[in-house]
Amino acid sequence: MLPTLRLRLVVVFALVALTAAVSASGIAYWLNRDAVLTRAQNAALNDFRKSMEDNAGNLPRKVECGQLREAAKKMARTTQNYQVLLIGRTDEGQPCAAASNEDDFTLQNVPGSLRGAVAKKRAVDSANSYPYHLYWQRITKDGNPYLVGGAKVIGESPTPTGYMLKSLAPERDDLNSLAWSLGIATGLALIGAMLLAQAAATTVLRPVRRLAEAARRLGEGKLDTRLRVSGTDELAELSRTFNRTAESLEHRVAELSAREESSRRFVADMSHELRTPMTAISAVTEVLEEEQDNLDPMIAPAVQLVVSETRRLNDLVENLMEVTRFDAGTAKLVLDDVDVADQVTACIDARAWLDAVELDADRGIMARLDPRRLDVILANLIGNALKHGGSPVRVSVRTEAREDGGDEGDELVIEVADQGPGIPEEVLPHVFDRFYKASASRPRSEGSGLGLSIAMENAHIHGGEITAHNASGGGAVFTLRLPRDSRRVAEERENGDADGDGGDGGPRDDDRRHKHRHGRKNGGKRVSGDGGDGGGKADGGDGRERGGA
């Protein structure tokens, strides 16, 4: 609910300050309130007691109402400014109530409980020296606070009873002023706490922001990022820990990069050095294959094995060179506008797969992409389906709106489905891994083990993706998704590629040429291949192994 650390600090400081200020103000208010009311109350009651003794106590037993009225007015003329009500009995035994101001104070203003307490006579003993006592009570009249006190003159009955009514409005006004002052002080304390919280948050968050910026730069690959450390507090220790971690990470990454570069250079150099002798060996094996029918039947199988293994080795070398280009980031797109249905048909026809593949694609679906790399992807996926899943393989082409809602237009979706047993669930996450074998007991296969990984790299270079899953009715389904226009991806790669063209020691993409070989007979069909990427091989590339395949 509080998304930022600054806001949390401000809220915490404000709550602490508010709690402390309210508590202090409340305690101060109640202490002052009790002191003010007690002081005013005691002063009025003491003055009333003395006035009762001096005036009502000297009245004769047989008193007239006029005498009571004069005594009440005299009692009211004090500095305490209260009203007086005296109650007595005349010579005829009739009760008489005389007030200093009959409009402001009558017997009805005296609570019944107070009258009962004043009139009650108590036994005199060692714990109680007088039969009557002075009692008081606070009341509210017309919305204003008042103090009502009462006492009875001690003596031989009948003796008068007196009541006083004192307004506490001045004390209430003083307490209201005190409450406002405490409220203003609480508000100022809250504002001060929030300002202090801002200052504290700035002090705390400044190194945190520097640490976050340094972590972001480190995540972007700027491993030389360091923080300036000052002080000995916890944040300074955190900065020192970050610097030590960044330094260790820089050394480790440099070491791993050096090893990776050495390995990549070794593969590139090895592939490049093998290409020349492999070209010569391939030429010799083609001659041997053409003369296979004239060879001694005893050595014909050996010649056929040499031919097949030579082709496999040649494909492996070509695949390793392509993988090296991908790892080095030097593979480039050569874009062209193509009709996807024509491209798929050409891929199938070039490899004599027309009888084994069902195509569901409408002509006129245009896309701007690299046709050679699309051919590599299709050859790998279709050839892999034929090899491991069996025919008929169904290839469908459609367009869909982008799931991320981007403004680059629709995306191209190509699905390759076979009729095989499907891919084991434990194998699915690894079908695009390099040299992955589903069974450790079958470490060797006809393909190089790089076909599907190269297909995935070619999809990535277009800004696309390949996924694999098993269909509900059986068989594996590979789904290729590519943007219909890859110009933005190509421009980004061009702008972000600092190595230019072909720094891996291998041949450049535009120097590669497609070779069309007449291969061996396979079930009455000619098997042809594309030696350029390892994706147009006779088996279409192999990136997955299935149980029972």
Side-chain angles (χ1 to χ4, degrees):
M1 296 179 65
L2 300 176
T4 63
L5 182 58
R6 179 184 296 275
L7 184 58
R8 295 174 194 169
L9 288 174
V10 171
V11 170
V12 169
F13 268 73
L15 290 177
V16 171
L18 183 62
T19 302
V22 168
S23 301
S25 299
I27 294 173
Y29 177 80
W30 285 109
L31 290 176
N32 280 274
R33 179 180 182 275
D34 185 68
V36 169
L37 293 178
T38 300
R39 184 171 60 250
Q41 171 183 297
N42 291 340
L45 293 176
N46 289 335
D47 186 83
F48 175 69
R49 183 197 302 272
K50 186 176 182 305
S51 183
M52 280 284 292
E53 293 175 354
D54 294 342
N55 295 282
N58 294 326
L59 292 174
R61 294 179 58 193
K62 295 182 179 180
V63 64
E64 300 292 335
C65 284
Q67 292 177 314
L68 286 175
R69 188 174 295 107
E70 289 297 327
K73 291 181 178 180
K74 186 177 180 181
M75 291 175 61
R77 289 193 294 267
T78 65
T79 57
Q80 293 299 319
N81 193 25
Y82 49 74
Q83 303 294 327
V84 177
L85 174 66
L86 292 178
I87 300 175
R89 287 186 177 274
T90 63
D91 293 340
E92 292 79 12
Q94 297 296 324
C96 177
S100 59
N101 188 343
E102 295 180 355
D103 295 333
D104 293 337
F105 190 27
T106 63
L107 190 60
Q108 285 74 20
N109 299 130
V110 181
S113 59
L114 180 62
R115 283 181 286 174
V118 170
K120 183 178 180 180
K121 185 176 181 179
R122 289 173 172 76
V124 177
D125 53 25
S126 58
N128 181 36
S129 302
Y130 303 100
Y132 298 102
H133 294 273
L134 174 65
Y135 295 93
W136 59 269
Q137 185 175 344
R138 295 182 189 137
I139 65 172
T140 301
K141 176 185 175 184
D142 298 330
N144 295 315
Y146 287 89
L147 173 67
V148 180
K152 186 175 179 66
V153 175
I154 300 175
E156 186 178 353
S157 297
T159 56
T161 301
Y163 295 98
M164 59 156 285
L165 178 68
K166 177 176 174 57
S167 174
L168 297 178
E171 287 74 16
R172 178 197 61 187
D173 295 338
D174 292 341
L175 291 175
N176 287 340
S177 299
L178 176 63
W180 275 105
S181 300
L182 293 175
I184 294 173
T186 300
L188 293 176
L190 181 61
I191 295 174
M194 295 180 69
L195 294 177
L196 289 176
Q198 285 282 0
T202 300
T203 303
V204 173
L205 294 180
R206 186 181 297 115
V208 173
R209 281 196 298 268
R210 288 200 298 263
L211 180 62
E213 177 65 19
R216 183 186 64 80
R217 290 168 58 86
L218 193 66
E220 292 175 351
K222 300 175 182 178
L223 302 181
D224 58 343
T225 302
R226 300 293 185 273
L227 290 172
R228 187 178 71 247
V229 181
S230 60
T232 58
D233 57 7
E234 289 80 0
L235 291 174
E237 182 60 29
L238 179 60
S239 299
R240 293 189 183 93
T241 302
F242 176 86
N243 289 341
R244 289 193 295 267
T245 303
E247 183 178 2
S248 175
L249 181 62
E250 183 180 16
H251 292 330
R252 182 62 175 168
V253 170
E255 181 181 353
L256 293 176
S257 297
R259 292 180 180 178
E260 183 182 3
E261 179 62 27
S262 177
S263 299
R264 187 185 300 124
R265 176 61 59 181
F266 172 76
V267 174
D269 292 344
M270 179 188 67
S271 302
H272 185 68
E273 292 300 325
L274 286 175
R275 195 178 192 191
T276 300
M278 285 306 305
T279 302
I281 294 174
S282 297
V284 173
T285 55
E286 289 181 1
V287 173
L288 290 175
E289 188 178 22
E290 291 176 357
E291 298 296 330
Q292 185 175 358
D293 295 337
N294 300 326
L295 295 176
D296 189 333
M298 296 296 294
I299 64 174
V303 171
Q304 181 60 41
L305 178 62
V306 170
V307 171
S308 62
E309 290 302 312
T310 300
R311 285 175 176 166
R312 181 173 179 271
L313 182 58
N314 187 70
D315 291 337
L316 177 60
V317 171
E318 294 290 345
N319 287 345
L320 288 174
M321 295 181 70
E322 183 69 6
V323 168
T324 303
R325 258 185 294 277
F326 283 122
D327 290 344
T330 57
K332 293 185 178 181
L333 290 173
V334 181
L335 300 180
D336 194 8
D337 293 322
V338 298
D339 187 311
V340 180
D342 290 343
Q343 183 74 17
V344 177
T345 302
C347 174
I348 298 173
D349 183 47
R351 292 158 180 85
W353 291 338
L354 289 175
D355 296 338
V357 177
E358 297 178 356
L359 179 59
D360 179 13
D362 295 331
R363 296 188 180 277
I365 300 179
M366 303 299 295
R368 187 165 183 80
L369 41 76
D370 189 328
R372 184 181 66 82
R373 294 189 182 278
L374 178 60
D375 181 80
V376 170
I377 298 173
L378 295 173
N380 273 285
L381 296 182
I382 299 173
N384 198 62
L386 288 171
K387 176 182 176 182
H388 296 288
S391 60
V393 171
R394 182 177 180 82
V395 180
S396 61
V397 180
R398 65 180 185 275
T399 59
E400 292 182 356
R402 292 176 61 88
E403 294 182 357
D404 56 6
D407 55 359
E408 291 86 357
D410 297 341
E411 63 180 0
L412 178 67
V413 180
I414 301 177
E415 285 187 351
V416 178
D418 60 46
Q419 304 300 319
I423 306 174
E425 292 298 329
E426 67 274 9
V427 176
L428 270 175
H430 306 286
V431 293
F432 296 103
D433 294 350
R434 296 174 183 176
F435 300 109
Y436 177 75
K437 305 293 182 182
S439 174
S441 63
R442 299 170 58 195
R444 185 180 182 278
S445 63
E446 294 181 10
S448 64
L450 294 172
L452 287 180
S453 64
I454 290 177
M456 178 65 83
E457 293 291 350
N458 279 299
H460 286 169
I461 200 175
H462 281 88
E465 185 72 23
I466 304 177
T467 58
H469 69 277
N470 290 319
S472 58
V477 179
F478 284 78
T479 304
L480 169 66
R481 295 180 179 271
L482 298 176
R484 292 187 65 179
D485 191 344
S486 299
R487 280 178 294 187
R488 184 182 61 82
V489 179
E491 291 172 358
E492 290 177 355
R493 290 184 59 87
E494 188 69 23
N495 295 333
D497 187 2
D499 294 332
D501 36 14
D504 56 8
R508 295 172 51 181
D509 282 349
D510 50 5
D511 292 332
R512 301 174 62 98
R513 54 188 178 89
H514 295 283
K515 295 186 296 179
H516 187 73
R517 303 191 303 264
H518 289 285
R520 61 188 182 277
K521 300 293 181 179
N522 184 4
K525 298 179 182 178
R526 178 177 54 81
V527 179
S528 61
D530 173 9
D533 297 88
K537 306 187 300 292
D539 58 7
D542 73 335
R544 55 180 171 137
E545 293 280 344
R546 304 187 194 171

